Structure formats: C-alpha cells, structure tokens
Amino acid sequence: MRSAGWFARCMTAFVVVCMLVPLLVVIAASFNDSSEVVFPPKGFSLKWYANVFERERFLKSFQFSLLLAVIATLLSLAIGLLCAIALVRYSFTGRDAVSTFLNSPLMVPQVVLGMALLILLSQVGLVSSLLGLGLLHVILTLPYTVRVLSAALVRFPVSLEEAAVIHGANRLSAFMLVTIPCIKPGLVAAAIFAFVTSFDNFTASQFLVWDRTTLPVEIFAYAVTETDPTVCAISTLLIIATIVVVVFAERSVGLETVTE
Amino acid sequence: MTVPAASSQAVRLDRVTVHYREIVAVQNVSLTLAAGEILALLGPSGCGKTTLLRSIAGFVPHSGEIHVGGKPMARVASHRRNIGMVFQDYALFPHMTVAQNVGFGLKMRGLSRAAIVSQVGEMLALVGLEGFQERMVRQLSGGQQQRVALARALVIKPALLLLDEPLSALDKKLREEMRGELKRIQRLTGVTTIFVTHDQDEALALADRLALMHRGTLLQFGGPEEVYRRPAGHFVAEFLGAANRASAACREVGPDFTLLELPGAGLIKTAIRPAEVSVGQSVVLYVRPEQIRVTSEDVRDQGQGLPATLVGRTYLGRHRELTLRLRNGAHWMAHVADDDALSKLKIGATVVLQTDPARVIVFGDAEDGASQGRPAPVSPA
C-alpha cells in the first residue's frame, strides 16, 4: 500500500481528534471539584465517583442493564446463528427479503420501534416486563449478530463439517466440535456488538422501562434534574469498561480477523 | 491394518442418479468394485464424478442403490457408513493438533484415550509423519497436510476410502511423489478406494479400474489398459491420451486385416475383423501419438504407411513430439524416442508413418465428433 499523503494524514488526525475530544472533555470534567460541569475542570476531586457508587438507583440500573444485555446477547447469538446458517448455506425463495428484514432494525427509527413495541406489548399484557425489554434488545442486536456471523460462516468451508460427519460425528457433534470452534472469533465479535448495542440503548428502551430502568435511561433521568458531574464520572467508568472488554477480546481471539 | 472385506463386491452402484433441480448431474451409473481395488472416476470438470463420490459418502440425495461392504447404504447416515474421505482442500480441523485431527474418527467411535494414542501413532508412522502429533495443522506443508488427511481417513479402518482430487493442490514434483505414496499406503492397508480425478496420467497410474464419465453418464468402466486400448467411444478415445483422428473409408477387407483409405492421404492397415466392416463403409479412426512409427524409408508398396512431411519438433525430455502434415493437409502428432535417428531429420523432410494394425482404434461413422454416446465400437482383433 502507498503511504498516505499529508492531506490524508491531516484528515485522519482531524477525524480522530473530533472523536476523542468529547470523550476527553467528559473524562476531565468528571474530576471537577465544583458542582457544575465545567471544562477545563476546577480543582480535582473523586467525589462524583463516590456519588455514583452511593446512589442505589445507579447500581440497580447497572445490574439491570447488565442482566438485560447478557440475556439479549445470548438470545441474539442463538437466533442470529440460526438465521446466518439459513442465509449462508441455503438458497430459498425470499432469501433476500429475509436478509433485508433482519437488517431493518438498523433503518427503522428507534422511537418508532419503541412505540410500536409499547403498543403491541400492552395489548398482550407484557409491558413493564423483562421479557418485553429483552424482546426489544434482541430485535435491536439481531442485525449485528446476523451480519457478523454470516461473514464468519461464509469463510468457514463446509467441507470441514463434512469431514467431521464422514469420520463419525453426527450433525450436532460436527457443528459443536468443528463449526463452533472455527467461527469463535465471529461469535466473540458478534457478542461484543450485541452486548454493547443492548447495554447502550436509550432511545427505544425508554418506552419500555418501568420502575426498573436501564443505566442509560437512569443517567438521562439524573441529568434532567441534576447538573453536577456525576454523569461524567459514570461515563468515564463506562469508557474504561468498554476499553477493557475490547482489549480482552482482541487478545483472546484477534478481532481484526472478523471486523475487516 | 485393515483386512480386506471378505465380500468380493466391496462396492456396488446400481443405477445411481442424482438430480440438482432440473439438471441431471449423475445418470444411471452402475458399477461394482472388488475388495482392495482402486477405482478412478475420471472425466472433465462438470462430468458428475465428484457428485457421484459425494453421493457414495451420503452427502447428496440420489436414487438408485449404493452398497458398501455388501450393505445397502440407503438408510445409513453419512456418519455411520464407516467411510474414510480425503477432501480436495484436505478439510483438516484448524483448531486441532495433528493427533487430534487423526484421532477424530476414533474419538467419535468412543475408543479409549490410550487406544486412540496408539492407533494415531501407528497411522502417523504409516504415512511418514512420526512425531508430528502435537503440531498444529497450519504449520504443515501441503504434502504433510495431505498425509494427515489420509491418516485421518484410514485410522478408522474404513470399509471404503474416498479421495476427491487428492493430488490437485500439490505441485508437480510433490504430486508424483504422493502418487507413489498413495499407492503404497493403499496396498499396505488393502482398503478399497475410489478417487476422483481429471488427470488421466494420475488415473492410469493409480487405478485398477477406471470409470470414465462425461455429462453425468458412465461412458466406460474397465481396467486402465482396456479403456486406453479399446475406448468405448469417440469421447473416451479423445479424452484418454491425445489421439490423432481421421475419417476414412474401408477399401479392402482381408482375412487378417483391413485396409482403410484416408482420403487424399493414403492407406492404413488395421486389424478389424472382416465381419465388422464392409467395403465402402465410412469409419472414424484414432491413432495414438506413441503408436506411430516414423521412418524415412518408403514402405508404401507393402500396402501400408502414410506419407507425411515433418513440420515441427518439440523436445519433451522423455520423448520428442513430432508434428507431421499428411498429404491431405491434416496434422498428426507422433511421439518418438529421444535417441532416435529421427532427431536428425530436417524440418520439411518427407517421412512415412506406420502403425501397429492392432492398435488403430476404429469406430463406425454413425456418430460424429466428441459425442457422449456409445457408437457401436468396432473392436480390433
């Protein structure tokens, strides 16, 4: 590859700065000593971090978000894997339509999706339930899991599964012993996408929360009434958590092989 | 090692037909194979040979019957057929070591860890990979991967070994080496083997039986020599060993031989029996390049020999390939020994081509060209 020219370098630097600056501002502001969010920060204090851990609602919504994200990720991986197998290995009428439909949650505005589910779930009496919110998060994460797992399956030679079968494994054993280990990087990448998408979601989720809320909804609720840097502290914690997860995944399976 | 099955018919295919939607990929293929034999499924790409192999493995739904080791396979799932298979891309499990790859089938059969370790060790020794147990597959060369794939297929003591284009991924030198290895290991284990190839040299060198396929049908099934010497049709004659082809008319029918006239080129003597051809009948004949003797003497008065002009000469190491122009303008190829005095012949020299009458392949002219059908072969005496 040709090395980048000065213009390309400048543009890259500009974009990176634009992406990083808001994060750096939030991180810096979280250490404010004043009770206002100001940048550059006045003084240095960890009291907003202490505030995060003192507020039970943050902790509870964090636990709830975690539970929700784990459930949504597992379901999304299972359903997404089956969808991906159907899309990659078989040709059937309406295959393209199914593929587009599975991607549609990316295109439908989340406000619409949240409203629609609220109306639907209230009809069947499932509003204000983990089930309803879980359903929403599976829908939201499915485009990512289907896409990443499809890419992984396309690269997986079916002959490997056939080799397992002809030498004595039944279909399920062949799948579990050969296919799953071979597409592991794809599974990990899909899981990360699904987890982050679920854990992060605010727009659609706010329609379906009740007295138990998810962390993003809780942060928003806090920011509506309070103006102190607590939200900056909690954001900083989330940034650190994300970095830890991504680095761990990178170390264990090598993400560049699946996201290229 | 595996003792060849007692049954003399290790494999029997009976009218096997495979449809892919509207396309007939394999049509009415019937053949039998004795225990310990090697069968080559030979044909151009798309002839259905791989599909036939895959239907024996149970990967492709088909009609007709497949028997392996005397047992019908219709209701037997792939993983219970006790078949070993080497895939074109080897299909080694990348997340497993060599030992885990080879031992996979034994593990699926519920053998003890100790038994697996010892049998894997034996099999790796047989394929010449002693001590490779803990290597990862990606650390191996193409030839080594091939050996691992072969070991994995053989360690389960299969009733049948299937090989899908086993040597196509290797370079020429390695291919010839592995060809010998394959034959050695097959003879040692005595396993009945079916392999798919589009390479006629490979098929002739390895096979005890040869099945030549074209457009889904089995054109000819027999020993390599039989198929090579007495092809069952135009397609087989042309596919198996480049052959010089000419239209001719029957001029004279004698008790021992028949004289055919190539219009504008001369007479050629063949060993067809008088009953099979009549004077005046038009035929198509094939002469293989290595069956042509090229001389500078004039032997036409003996009623045989085609005059020709030497127009090209290519040195191929083992032999020289001569391009010769007949009197009627047709170009024929002849392979002659390298040390032949003919190598001194100048381009443009006039020569005479002679052939062994018994080795001229003659068909009635009913069907023309490289057709898939079986024109009634007029077999030489």
Side-chain angles (χ1 to χ4, degrees):
Chain A
M1 203 171 66
R2 211 158 53 94
S3 70
W6 64 270
F7 181 74
R9 283 165 194 269
C10 289
M11 283 307 289
T12 309
F14 178 71
V15 171
V16 169
V17 167
C18 284
M19 286 168 76
L20 279 179
V21 161
L23 298 183
L24 294 175
V25 168
V26 166
I27 293 169
S30 71
F31 296 109
N32 254 310
D33 197 20
S34 78
S35 58
E36 299 285 314
V37 178
V38 287
F39 185 83
K42 285 184 188 146
F44 178 84
S45 163
L46 290 175
K47 62 185 173 192
W48 308 115
Y49 288 89
N51 190 33
V52 168
F53 292 103
E54 276 158 17
R55 282 185 65 98
E56 211 193 350
R57 286 194 63 88
F58 276 142
L59 214 60
K60 284 205 148 171
S61 63
F62 172 74
Q63 285 171 345
F64 186 59
S65 274
L66 210 58
L67 175 71
L68 185 62
V70 168
I71 292 172
T73 300
L74 292 178
L75 282 175
S76 185
L77 280 181
I79 299 168
L81 184 55
L82 296 178
C83 292
I85 290 170
L87 291 174
V88 171
R89 298 237 180 122
Y90 300 92
S91 66
F92 49 90
T93 31
R95 191 170 145 257
D96 289 345
V98 170
S99 178
T100 308
F101 178 71
L102 286 168
N103 274 319
S104 65
L106 291 178
M107 288 165 267
V108 176
Q110 291 204 7
V111 176
V112 175
L113 202 60
M115 271 301 288
L117 263 178
L118 179 61
I119 294 165
L120 180 76
L121 291 171
S122 58
Q123 300 279 321
V124 294
L126 278 176
V127 82
S128 310
S129 69
L130 181 59
L131 193 65
L133 209 49
L135 179 65
L136 170 71
H137 281 217
V138 170
I139 293 170
L140 286 172
T141 53
L142 218 42
Y144 298 100
T145 50
V146 170
R147 188 169 285 201
V148 174
L149 293 174
S150 293
L153 281 172
V154 163
R155 270 200 297 261
F156 173 77
V158 182
S159 61
L160 288 183
E161 216 172 284
E162 289 176 342
V165 167
I166 198 69
H167 295 121
N170 60 34
R171 294 286 297 266
L172 184 66
S173 304
F175 190 75
M176 300 307 288
L177 294 174
V178 174
T179 312
I180 293 286
C182 287
I183 62 167
K184 202 170 100 192
L187 283 167
V188 172
I192 290 173
F193 278 127
F195 187 90
V196 171
T197 304
S198 164
F199 194 83
D200 251 11
N201 187 265
F202 168 75
T203 315
S205 298
Q206 61 175 333
F207 288 89
L208 296 178
V209 294
W210 63 109
D211 59 336
R212 294 190 74 176
T213 63
T214 64
L215 188 59
V217 176
E218 190 59 39
I219 292 171
F220 182 74
Y222 185 88
V224 168
T225 53
E226 312 289 330
T227 55
D228 64 54
T230 305
V231 289
C232 295
I234 202 164
S235 302
T236 305
L237 292 173
L238 290 178
I239 291 168
I240 293 165
T242 310
I243 292 171
V244 168
V245 168
V246 170
V247 167
F248 174 75
E250 168 68 42
R251 288 272 164 83
S252 61
V253 291
L255 280 188
E256 82 280 10
T257 59
V258 272
T259 46
E260 71 194 359
Chain B
M1 285 299 99
T2 314
V3 179
S7 161
S8 62
Q9 282 184 3
V11 179
R12 185 162 69 85
L13 307 185
D14 191 13
R15 283 166 294 152
V16 173
T17 300
V18 180
H19 289 266
Y20 278 136
R21 302 213 173 120
E22 285 88 47
I23 302 157
V24 186
V26 174
Q27 193 167 23
N28 271 324
V29 172
S30 300
L31 56 86
T32 58
L33 202 58
E37 281 189 321
I38 306 183
L39 166 69
L41 294 175
L42 176 67
S45 53
C47 71
K49 56 193 192 295
T50 296
T51 305
L52 183 60
L53 194 81
R54 292 175 58 78
S55 58
I56 296 169
F59 296 146
V60 179
H62 59 86
S63 60
E65 283 178 43
I66 294 173
H67 291 248
V68 176
K71 280 171 276 186
M73 291 287 122
R75 290 174 183 282
V76 183
S78 293
H79 69 283
R80 296 191 186 280
R81 289 192 176 193
N82 200 28
I83 289 175
M85 186 161 175
V86 175
F87 291 78
Q88 191 169 6
D89 59 356
Y90 311 141
L92 296 175
F93 309 130
H95 58 297
M96 297 185 194
T97 62
V98 167
Q100 286 168 331
N101 264 282
V102 175
F104 185 86
L106 299 177
K107 196 176 163 193
M108 292 299 112
R109 281 159 175 75
L111 266 72
S112 73
R113 190 179 291 255
I116 294 175
V117 168
S118 89
Q119 291 187 31
V120 165
E122 268 175 49
M123 193 46 72
L124 283 178
L126 180 70
V127 300
L129 287 180
E130 250 166 331
F132 276 66
Q133 274 88 338
E134 297 314 313
R135 300 274 188 100
M136 291 307 283
V137 166
R138 75 178 74 88
Q139 299 171 311
L140 304 178
S141 70
Q144 290 169 335
Q145 292 189 14
Q146 163 109 58
R147 288 163 193 263
V148 173
L150 191 61
R152 180 178 65 181
L154 287 173
V155 78
I156 59 174
K157 299 184 171 58
L160 174 64
L161 173 66
L162 303 178
L163 306 157
D164 185 8
E165 299 266 5
L167 305 176
S168 65
L170 303 174
D171 59 55
K172 192 177 186 314
K173 190 173 175 295
L174 204 52
R175 196 155 61 218
E176 277 167 15
E177 185 191 320
M178 276 311 291
R179 191 190 281 174
E181 276 290 277
L182 264 180
K183 191 134 186 168
R184 178 184 70 86
I185 293 165
Q186 194 273 344
R187 292 294 183 233
L188 261 169
T189 55
V191 64
T192 311
T193 302
I194 300 180
F195 77 102
V196 157
T197 183
H198 61 268
D199 181 338
Q200 47 159 310
D201 292 338
E202 202 171 296
L204 291 169
L206 278 175
D208 301 312
R209 306 248 123 205
L210 215 148
L212 209 138
M213 292 183 68
H214 183 50
R215 294 188 195 159
T217 55
L218 181 62
L219 292 187
Q220 192 170 8
F221 175 61
E225 249 185 82
E226 179 195 340
V227 176
Y228 190 79
R229 286 190 175 210
R230 288 192 285 280
H234 293 277
F235 182 82
V236 182
E238 281 177 31
F239 185 80
L240 209 60
N244 299 302
R245 179 181 194 272
S247 296
C250 181
R251 273 289 150 263
E252 191 188 325
V253 179
D256 304 322
F257 60 88
T258 300
L259 271 185
L260 300 177
E261 184 183 359
L262 280 64
L267 294 169
I268 198 163
K269 199 175 181 181
T270 74
I272 330 172
R273 266 166 279 166
E276 290 165 330
V277 71
S278 54
V279 173
Q281 188 184 338
S282 48
V283 296
V284 174
L285 62 86
Y286 293 90
V287 182
R288 299 205 184 279
E290 70 276 15
Q291 295 299 331
I292 295 177
R293 284 192 306 278
V294 181
T295 59
S296 47
E297 305 130 44
D298 195 338
V299 285
R300 269 173 297 170
D301 53 329
Q302 290 162 32
Q304 56 171 316
L306 296 170
T309 311
L310 181 65
V311 295
R313 185 162 48 196
T314 313
Y315 181 66
L316 293 173
R318 275 169 295 185
H319 55 74
R320 277 179 200 278
E321 184 175 84
L322 306 181
T323 308
L324 304 144
R325 192 175 59 233
L326 303 186
R327 288 279 151 86
N328 63 3
H331 284 86
W332 277 23
M333 295 293 181
H335 292 170
V336 296
D338 181 31
D339 58 355
D340 206 280
L342 289 164
S343 52
K344 295 190 191 77
L345 272 182
K346 292 202 166 54
I347 300 290
T350 301
V351 292
V352 172
L353 314 184
Q354 287 179 286
T355 55
D356 177 354
R359 300 298 297 270
V360 178
I361 300 155
V362 183
F363 296 115
D365 201 17
E367 205 157 350
D368 196 46
S371 68
Q372 57 158 322
R374 277 170 178 253
V378 187
S379 55

